[in-house]
């Protein structure tokens, strides 16, 4: 992947500057305070604000600052509740703190909501159900036909 060699548009634009400097841990560490400052202030467009939440949440995760990642991504979801990108990065951070069950459920919900794959779409209701009931697979004894009828009708 080729990195842009262009500098940030303006030194006073922390959201844009932070995005252009991503890629190394040192740069990520340096960009995080600018991103926090951008979120605390006013003047970001909705698109930029969303991008800062995703970028900062991801940055914290890459740096091993998982709790800050979770807090940032959840804060972003407070403003963008159905956003698939935020939910996907949240799932990765959840995995990193040992919450594999919640991480998997989150990813399954994103998959069910966003997939264009015919097979996933056909079983969307089952995927949505099991996103919240992952352990039910051991308790539910249905034949494949009964299972298919349950979630496709």
């Amino acid at each position: 992947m080729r990195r842009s060699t262009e500098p940030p548009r303006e030194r006073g634009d922390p959201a844009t500057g932070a995005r252009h400097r991503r890629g190394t841990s040192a740069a990520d560490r340096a960009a995080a305070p600018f991103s926090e400052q951008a979120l605390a202030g006013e003047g970001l467009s909705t698109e930029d604000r969303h991008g800062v939440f995703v970028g900062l949440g991801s940055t914290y995760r890459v740096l091993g600052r998982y709790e800050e990642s979770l807090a940032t991504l959840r804060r972003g979801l407070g403003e963008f509740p159905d956003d698939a990108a935020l939910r996907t990065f949240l799932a990765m951070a959840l995995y990193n703190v040992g919450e594999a069950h919640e991480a998997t459920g989150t990813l399954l919900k994103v998959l069910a909501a966003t997939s264009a794959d015919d097979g996933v779409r056909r079983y969307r209701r089952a995927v949505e159900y099991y996103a919240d009931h992952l352990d039910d697979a051991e308790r539910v004894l249905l034949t494949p036909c009964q299972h298919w009828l349950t979630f496709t009708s």
Side-chain angles (χ1 to χ4, degrees):
M1 181 175 187
R2 193 173 159 198
R3 288 184 208 263
S4 172
T5 56
E6 290 182 3
R9 282 184 265 168
E10 294 179 23
R11 182 101 173 118
D13 185 353
T16 305
R19 271 196 251 146
H20 284 285
R21 288 191 299 263
R22 288 200 34 81
T24 67
S25 290
D28 286 342
R29 265 190 290 281
F34 292 105
S35 296
E36 284 288 356
Q37 181 182 2
L39 290 174
E42 303 211 3
L44 286 178
S45 69
T46 301
E47 181 181 351
D48 282 344
R49 190 163 177 81
H50 171 266
V52 173
F53 276 122
V54 174
L56 183 59
S58 175
T59 293
Y60 282 147
R61 191 186 76 79
V62 168
L63 295 174
R65 294 165 60 178
Y66 304 125
E67 294 303 324
E68 289 166 288
S69 176
L70 290 168
T72 300
L73 294 165
R74 286 179 172 140
R75 193 168 136 213
L77 284 166
E79 293 186 32
F80 305 95
D82 297 320
D83 186 75
L86 285 165
R87 290 166 57 205
T88 300
F89 280 94
L90 177 66
M92 288 186 267
L94 287 165
Y95 174 83
N96 290 127
V97 297
E99 296 293 334
H101 192 273
E102 187 178 349
T104 302
T106 298
L107 285 176
L108 287 172
K109 289 175 187 177
V110 170
L111 177 68
T114 63
S115 182
D117 180 84
D118 288 338
V120 173
R121 288 172 46 161
R122 182 177 309 116
Y123 294 103
R124 182 181 59 80
R125 288 179 54 203
V127 173
E128 288 172 338
Y129 173 82
Y130 283 115
D132 290 323
H133 302 92
L134 286 168
D135 296 324
D136 286 0
E138 297 171 2
R139 292 186 276 255
V140 177
L141 299 175
L142 297 175
T143 67
C145 184
Q146 289 171 319
H147 187 268
W148 183 81
L149 289 173
T150 301
F151 292 108
T152 58
S153 51

